[in-house]
Amino acid sequence: MKNLKSWLAMFAILSLFMYSCDSGGTDVVESGTYQGSVKKAVPEKTEIYVQTDDNKTLELYFTDATTLTRNGETVAFDQLKEGSRVEVQVEKVGQRLDPVAVRILD
């Protein structure tokens, strides 16, 4: 009985650990154009998380080819703020999404 309690306790701790290591619940979608809001921007990694209008979370790492614009003008990455409305054009490469173009809508 004591051994069973130890195993159950170890299983509970392991389950909590695995739950806390969750990848953040990002989604991989097909290549295309999506609209949504910036959930998080990480300037040092030129990375953004976008919550799409259809409730998907996209993890996007900018590449050298990614364009970022507002009102047709190229802008710096620091223009992306949490809550900004954006339109993203992504290309699916395996299980990764490459942002081709990001347009700030507001």
Side-chain angles (χ1 to χ4, degrees):
M1 187 66 158
K2 189 175 185 179
N3 196 18
L4 179 61
K5 287 182 183 180
S6 296
W7 277 103
L8 288 174
M10 189 180 338
F11 178 75
I13 291 170
L14 182 60
S15 296
L16 287 172
F17 174 76
M18 295 301 286
Y19 179 75
S20 69
C21 292
D22 185 15
S23 66
T26 58
D27 299 289
V28 177
V29 295
E30 295 302 317
S31 296
T33 303
Y34 300 87
Q35 287 190 0
S37 298
V38 175
K39 196 172 173 183
K40 181 179 178 183
V42 185
E44 57 274 3
K45 294 183 179 180
T46 56
E47 169 189 19
I48 60 171
Y49 292 83
V50 175
Q51 184 76 40
T52 64
D53 291 343
D54 61 349
N55 208 31
K56 304 243 189 258
T57 301
L58 309 181
E59 180 179 18
L60 305 173
Y61 289 89
F62 281 42
T63 68
D64 290 339
T66 304
T67 60
L68 175 60
T69 59
R70 174 184 274 159
N71 299 325
E73 300 286 324
T74 300
V75 295
F77 187 87
D78 66 1
Q79 297 295 303
L80 287 167
K81 304 289 184 211
E82 187 176 315
S84 294
R85 290 283 302 158
V86 293
E87 179 178 83
V88 295
Q89 179 186 351
V90 297
E91 182 179 324
K92 182 179 176 186
V93 181
Q95 291 300 304
R96 184 183 80 228
L97 295 174
D98 285 344
V100 175
V102 178
R103 190 169 60 126
I104 302 172
L105 301 176
D106 53 17

